């Protein structure tokens, strides 16, 4: 998963009014985690700042993660609702909790679509602070806080 191509993605989005999208089965599960919600029978109105709360284990002293919240349809097409990076620098290696406030949004998820969270370690839109061959494990107790109305 990624936020798109620098300058191009946001420029096209500004002209056409469309969000970047991916086909979710192409996300590399070797470097990204994917979680999908149930598919509600009515629309979900998101208004505000979704926040991802991650409990991480065995992390390096420095690292970066990218969190993406998607609108996933029945065919596997996923539109970016919002996303954000998070970096920790110069801390002790080990376990940590990280809160990732995603960018504010006003988005209506259609009925029978799934809210899907992808947490990745690379994104071409951003520099990252991950060690080569490093690993991050997302532990139990992690969750997403969605401001739904």
């Amino acid at each position: 998963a990624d936020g798109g191509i620098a300058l191009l993605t946001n420029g096209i989005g500004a002209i056409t009014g469309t969000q970047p999208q991916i086909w979710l089965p192409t996300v590399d599960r070797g470097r990204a985690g994917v979680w999908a919600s149930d598919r509600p029978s009515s629309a979900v109105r998101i208004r505000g700042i979704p926040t991802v709360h991650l409990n991480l284990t065995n992390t390096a002293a420095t690292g970066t993660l990218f969190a993406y919240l998607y609108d996933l349809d029945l065919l596997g097409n996923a539109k970016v609702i919002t996303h954000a990076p998070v970096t920790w620098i110069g801390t002790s290696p080990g376990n940590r909790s990280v809160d990732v406030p995603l960018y504010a949004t006003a988005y209506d998820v259609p009925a029978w679509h799934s809210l899907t969270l992808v947490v990745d370690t690379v994104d071409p839109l951003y520099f990252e602070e991950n060690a080569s061959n490093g690993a991050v494990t997302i532990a139990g107790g992690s969750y997403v806080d969605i401001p739904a109305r």
Side-chain angles (χ1 to χ4, degrees), residues 107-138:
Y107 187 89
D108 295 338
V109 181
W112 306 111
H113 283 215
S114 171
L115 277 174
T116 302
L117 175 68
V118 175
V119 178
D120 207 336
T121 55
V122 295
D123 185 317
L125 287 181
Y126 300 97
F127 291 111
E128 43 89 7
E129 291 288 334
N130 295 318
S132 297
N133 299 320
V136 175
T137 301
I138 299 173

Side-chain angles (χ1 to χ4, degrees), residues 24-127:
L24 196 65
T26 63
V27 172
D28 181 357
R29 300 315 202 272
R31 69 164 207 233
V34 179
W35 297 268
S37 71
D38 292 334
R39 296 175 182 277
S41 60
S42 60
V44 175
R45 299 177 65 213
I46 302 172
R47 301 292 186 268
I49 302 172
T51 303
V52 180
H53 306 275
L54 299 172
N55 293 323
L56 309 176
T57 60
N58 301 320
T59 62
T62 299
T64 302
L65 291 175
F66 305 93
Y68 309 89
L69 188 62
Y70 287 103
D71 167 2
L72 178 66
D73 71 15
L74 293 169
L75 300 175
N77 300 305
K79 292 181 182 178
V80 174
I81 297 171
T82 183
H83 76 285
V86 65
T87 298
W88 57 94
I89 297 175
T91 60
S92 300
N95 302 341
R96 71 186 74 248
S97 292
V98 177
D99 288 336
V100 188
L102 304 179
Y103 300 123
T105 189
Y107 187 89
D108 295 338
V109 181
W112 306 111
H113 283 215
S114 171
L115 277 174
T116 302
L117 175 68
V118 175
V119 178
D120 207 336
T121 55
V122 295
D123 185 317
L125 287 181
Y126 300 97
F127 291 111

